[in-house]
Amino acid sequence: MVTFLPAMWGLDAPLARGKPYIKCYSNFSASDWTHGAVVARLAQKSKGGHNGIMTTLDHHPARLRRSVLCVPADNSRALAKVRQLAADAVIFDLEDAVAPEHKGEAREALVRHLSKNRPDCEVVIRVNALGSGFGQMDLTAALAASPDAILLPKVESPADIQVAVDWLAENDAPESLRLWAMIETPRGLLNVAAIAETGRTFGGRLDCFVVGLNDLRKETRVPAHAGRTYLVPWLMQVLLTARSSGLDAIDAVFNDFRDADGFEAECRQGRDMGYDGKMLIHPAQIGPANEHFGVDQAAVDEARAIIAAFDLPENADKGVINLHGRMVERLHLDQALKLAAKADMIEKRKAKP
């Protein structure tokens, strides 16, 4: 299968002409993924065109993103504590958490900090909007700090992604530098499917959506009720569109970090909706987020049994097998491989000092 992207958003010339943007397996490094088996199995599954062409959904690096802690870039005490924390990812915030008059010193402080005290987790820098007067200076500082990803705020259209992609290309940013997008306005939510499509191209850089419910609540006047009853349809819309383009999705912050029961209930809800993790505002939220967005050992054991069953020579060419009286299809194998990969990443992370 070859994925086509419509000529809509001023993307690269091959896409603008409606031609497929493709990459061969021979150019795809298994080192881009944490679990080599996932690469091998997904590559085998998606072979089908000439020369083993693969779909554009398989180029996103697999990462743990159960707990995504947001830290103000101008808070020296918070920055100093980050390396001792067990968050899977840290967002160093140059946007909402920093007052306009402090943004310059926050950039300088963040670059200095990451040059000497980079945490052993995924490093993300949230910049200001590119049209804000601060955005390009933030991007310049971000390149100097060498994060794993840049988080763009208030993304409302594919053009917002493309402007950042073009700027990064013009400034020789490494291909490994990824983009995350905050979906936090009504317009962004209405355009979320089109925004997600930019993640289907190898040059698009987009890897992850983060939901911003505080801004959505403000603009829509939906109250902050427990259970998020009237917000669930929007949360599911973001999740669905993220998955359609192979993106991760991070659930919104829970504002009252003293309400441990409410936070855990919202973690369970986000997990059950399919989210990969949760954006956090306090270190006390890291442990519960890692637990609730982690893996169930019984499910991991079942996943490994499915993988082992399909590895048997007699099942090599079968689409469906009988495993302990249960019908198991190849789609269950795909799910099992991803779950086993996640379990392996968690164990590897636990083993780090």
Side-chain angles (χ1 to χ4, degrees):
M1 176 182 173
V2 177
T3 300
F4 291 83
L5 191 66
M8 292 175 62
W9 308 311
L11 299 174
D12 296 337
L15 296 175
R17 292 193 295 268
K19 293 184 179 180
Y21 198 76
I22 57 179
K23 189 170 183 179
C24 296
Y25 289 118
S26 59
N27 297 326
F28 183 65
S29 171
S31 65
D32 291 336
W33 291 71
T34 305
H35 195 275
V38 174
V39 177
R41 299 304 178 86
L42 291 178
Q44 182 181 36
K45 178 177 182 289
S46 57
K47 282 182 180 178
H50 296 292
N51 301 319
I53 299 298
M54 71 179 179
T55 71
T56 56
L57 296 185
D58 294 342
H59 71 284
H60 301 281
R63 289 184 179 271
L64 279 178
R65 289 165 175 159
R66 301 166 298 172
S67 50
V68 181
L69 179 66
C70 194
V71 176
D74 64 345
N75 187 327
S76 58
R77 291 181 59 191
L79 293 177
K81 295 178 181 178
V82 166
R83 291 188 68 179
Q84 285 78 50
L85 302 177
D88 289 337
V90 174
I91 297 171
F92 295 95
D93 191 14
L94 292 169
E95 194 218 11
D96 286 347
V98 179
E101 62 271 22
H102 296 149
K103 290 190 186 291
E105 60 190 76
R107 290 185 209 101
E108 295 174 3
L110 181 58
V111 173
R112 284 197 306 270
H113 176 80
L114 290 178
S115 69
K116 299 177 181 179
N117 298 286
R118 187 183 180 91
D120 188 18
C121 66
E122 188 171 14
V123 173
V124 184
I125 296 176
R126 179 160 69 169
V127 299
N128 288 271
L130 298 189
S132 67
F134 300 111
Q136 291 199 16
M137 291 183 285
D138 290 349
L139 286 177
T140 300
L143 283 188
S146 300
D148 297 297
I150 292 171
L151 175 57
L152 302 176
K154 297 177 176 63
V155 173
E156 295 190 322
S157 75
D160 293 335
I161 301 295
Q162 192 60 35
V163 168
V165 168
D166 289 344
W167 190 96
L168 293 172
E170 290 165 4
N171 288 273
D172 299 319
E175 291 185 10
S176 59
L177 180 59
R178 314 306 298 168
L179 291 176
W180 291 18
M182 292 288 302
I183 304 299
E184 51 186 337
T185 67
R187 187 163 180 257
L189 192 64
L190 287 173
N191 290 331
V192 69
I195 296 167
E197 280 288 317
T198 67
R200 294 176 71 90
T201 69
F202 283 93
R205 297 183 186 264
L206 182 62
D207 260 8
C208 186
F209 280 155
V210 182
V211 182
L213 287 185
N214 285 334
D215 283 282
L216 267 174
R217 287 187 184 109
K218 181 187 74 174
E219 294 197 28
T220 61
R221 306 190 192 109
V222 174
H225 291 323
R228 305 188 292 185
T229 303
Y230 302 108
L231 299 168
V232 167
W234 298 342
L235 287 162
M236 292 306 304
Q237 183 179 348
V238 173
L239 188 281
L240 181 64
T241 54
R243 294 296 186 252
S244 74
S245 291
L247 308 179
D248 280 354
I250 306 300
D251 194 6
V253 299
F254 183 83
N255 294 315
D256 187 356
F257 60 84
R258 296 166 300 181
D259 181 2
D261 291 339
F263 174 71
E264 294 204 36
E266 200 165 283
C267 282
R268 289 191 294 270
Q269 182 192 46
R271 175 201 63 202
D272 291 347
M273 285 190 289
Y275 277 82
D276 297 285
K278 194 162 183 66
M279 189 175 179
L280 312 177
I281 59 171
H282 194 278
Q285 297 175 325
I286 295 172
N290 283 345
E291 177 185 353
H292 290 294
F293 289 97
V295 295
D296 176 74
Q297 189 56 50
V300 173
D301 293 342
E302 182 181 5
R304 298 197 191 283
I306 291 172
I307 295 167
F310 274 104
D311 276 341
L312 294 174
E314 61 266 30
N315 293 331
D317 297 324
K318 292 181 180 178
V320 181
I321 63 173
N322 181 339
L323 182 62
H324 308 308
R326 176 188 165 201
M327 183 186 75
V328 178
E329 302 178 59
R330 291 261 164 197
L331 66 89
H332 298 120
L333 174 61
D334 295 340
Q335 294 171 331
L337 285 164
K338 291 174 183 177
L339 181 59
K342 184 175 182 178
D344 288 348
M345 286 189 284
I346 290 172
E347 288 305 311
K348 189 175 293 186
R349 183 139 181 78
K350 286 179 180 177
K352 291 182 179 179

